[in-house]
Amino acid sequence: MTHSFSQPELFQPWNNACEHWLLNQATDLEQFFPADEELQENRDEEKRIADVALNGFISTAAIFGAIDIGLFESLESSPSQLDSLAQQLNVPTSHLNRLLLILQRLELVTLKSEKWRLQAPARRFFTPTAPTFEPYLWSRLAMTRQFLQNYATEWGDIMRGKRQFDELQWPPRNEQETRDFEHIMTAEAPYIAARLKPVIQEKPIKRLLDVAGGNGTIAALLAHQQSDLQVDVLNWPHVAPLITETAEKFHLTERVRPLPADFVDDYFPTDYDAVLFSRVLFNWPDEVVIKLLSKACHALKSEGRIMICERMKGPAEGVSRTWLTFMATSVNAQVFGRTPLRWIDLLDQAGFYNPRLEGDDSFEGYGVIQAFASPELNEAEQLRPSKKVYQNGDTVQVTVPPSPEGQTQYLGLRMPNRQTFILDQFNTLRPFDGVRLPAWKGGDVAMEQVILPNIPRGKYLLYYLYAPEDVKPMLAFEQWTLNVSMFRVN
Ligand SMILES: C[S@@+](CC[C@H](N)C(=O)[O-])C[C@H]1O[C@@H](n2cnc3c(N)ncnc32)[C@H](O)[C@@H]1O
């Protein structure tokens, strides 16, 4: 579509279609309102697709309009009648009325006793002067606005990869480009540090390697929370000055230090209690990820663990939550979405044990995956084999922990050849097709099997997954808790 059409030209296809429809199909105007079921379905489809195509534009533009004229801030200070509000904001009453009616549908404002008032979400997300304001959406809105202002006429070229978002160079090649980039990352750093805090507290660590740790903000927040934690922040040499600045800002220069290196080409130092990859691995294909995870495994002490923080979303997540993915189309960055089972597989290939994954259903949706340098370190609820290693004639018995309240359990078994089966009843293995995931309906023993000579030798992974009862798990990875244990058959 070009944007050089005149107004009548723009509407020409629509007028032509109407004429065509009338002349060829409708002998009677009553046919516009048929009772026919099939036509009703078409109408529903029209409405659904119209919502898909236009909701975003209308609601985003209405919110920008309201922010720009100071509507939310004004209503935050006091509810107001239309006329006085229009006067105060210096906008025509008719325009303001339409805007308020749209915002009312979006449940951002409400009309009571002839006065317009803010609803709680408008305060929380769009009114920086409100005490309950939270900045989750604010920076995304600002970038969306920039995107619309500067690139709305160039979607095609952006999608063709011919045009990049000028404001953001990926990867940043020097200190200035890094400064332009890292402030976007640090906007969510407190959120990520808060997600990691309980994970770290569960088994405190003293030495942490934060691989590609941005400007050190996450490292500083973690070190601030734990007074004996030392963090080495590995990043390109041109990022080191930013990391030092962050450490100085938080008075943590002794404990938060830059480690200038290229994580792809350089080896990692060793003897760490934990290695963190936060929002790093999604940019890289599997073969590089396995290499990086293997390097992390070597960097750990024998009782050490890896922590991975990544967005982990199932297909049912709302379109608005793919914002980052969409924005990534405007920079030269690849995004590799991975399912939880794919993560488990990669960690297993890199030599880690007992992966654990905890999803996150919030807007940010950063799941945390942990895995261990040695077996036996994961204390989480998991499927328990009666032994770790079996020989011919032994009996494998696998027990199931009690179901957490309000959650449904799902059990799986990965064979040495990596084929995965779902266990939905005692000793019943069904091949996993990646789509259907039947829930566990058995008791506290999942399987009992005598090891016969024909049983494949090697490593078996046991998956113990639970998700809230009302959730379809294959559509909502963000709601998963998954713990993996293992046994071997020699
Ligand atoms: C998406 S940011 C994540 C930053 C931080 N971990 C966070 O969650 O806020 C990716 C980081 O990787 C760094 N980076 C990318 N490629 C790198 C490489 N080859 N070697 C070292 N650092 C790299 C960038 O400088 C940037 O700080």
Side-chain angles (χ1 to χ4, degrees), residues 80 85 231 262 315 358 366 383 401 479:
S80 197
L85 192 58
V231 193
D262 183 306
E358 245 176 283
Y366 288 106
L383 295 183
Q479 308 235 30

Side-chain angles (χ1 to χ4, degrees), residues 191-203 221-222 225-226 305 307 368:
Y191 183 82
I192 289 183
R195 280 286 286 145
L196 290 170
K197 186 178 169 188
V199 174
I200 291 179
Q201 279 176 344
E202 204 178 295
K203 187 169 176 289
L221 292 170
L222 295 176
Q225 280 162 11
Q226 187 188 320
R305 63 189 152 140
M307 300 182 294
V368 177

Side-chain angles (χ1 to χ4, degrees), residues 170 181-182 185 212-214 218 235-236 239 261-264 278-279:
W170 181 262
F181 169 73
E182 290 296 350
M185 290 287 103
I218 293 174
N235 213 323
W236 279 311
V239 191
D262 183 306
F263 65 60
V264 180
S278 161
R279 304 188 287 181

Side-chain angles (χ1 to χ4, degrees), residues 54-72 95-96 98-106 108-109 126 141 145 148:
L54 301 173
N55 267 8
F57 167 71
I58 296 170
S59 40
T60 308
I63 289 166
F64 284 150
I67 290 171
D68 284 1
I69 61 173
L71 174 66
F72 293 135
H95 287 24
L96 184 61
R98 287 177 200 136
L99 178 61
L100 285 164
L101 291 173
I102 292 168
L103 295 172
Q104 188 182 30
R105 284 183 185 218
L106 298 176
L108 295 173
V109 298
F126 306 126
L141 272 184
R145 179 196 290 268
L148 288 170

